Amino acid sequence: MRKFKINYEQKSKEPTKEQMVRYKDFASVSHRYERLTKRPKKPLYKDPKLFLLLLIIGLVFLLLFLEERG
């Protein structure tokens, strides 16, 4: 069984000045948040480049599967 040490000293949980300066620009913070949470406007399967890539990968797997059977 583990023994845990409880720290009763209350340390300040204030952000440092560097952290405050980094997050002071709300526009950049908001832009990063939007980029992380919002879905892309065009679905992945409707993107022509990605569709071509998925098609090529599918064909390679299909050819590998047919070669193993034959």
Side-chain angles (χ1 to χ4, degrees):
M1 184 183 277
R2 294 183 182 182
K3 293 185 180 180
F4 295 97
K5 180 181 176 185
I6 299 174
N7 189 2
Y8 290 106
E9 296 177 18
Q10 296 293 331
K11 293 185 180 178
S12 175
K13 297 201 179 207
E14 296 288 323
T16 63
K17 290 199 184 244
E18 294 85 18
Q19 289 174 333
M20 290 173 66
V21 168
R22 187 171 68 187
Y23 293 113
K24 205 172 221 182
D25 184 17
F26 182 73
S28 68
V29 172
S30 176
H31 176 69
R32 286 189 301 201
Y33 173 77
E34 293 289 327
R35 196 173 66 195
L36 281 174
T37 58
K38 295 291 181 180
R39 294 176 60 183
K41 301 240 185 260
K42 188 183 287 188
L44 293 177
Y45 60 89
K46 288 187 179 180
D47 186 15
K49 291 180 183 176
L50 186 61
F51 180 74
L52 183 62
L53 177 70
L54 291 174
L55 183 68
I56 291 171
I57 290 172
L59 288 174
V60 167
F61 278 121
L62 181 67
L63 290 174
L64 289 175
F65 179 71
L66 291 177
E67 183 178 316
E68 287 179 4
R69 292 180 71 197

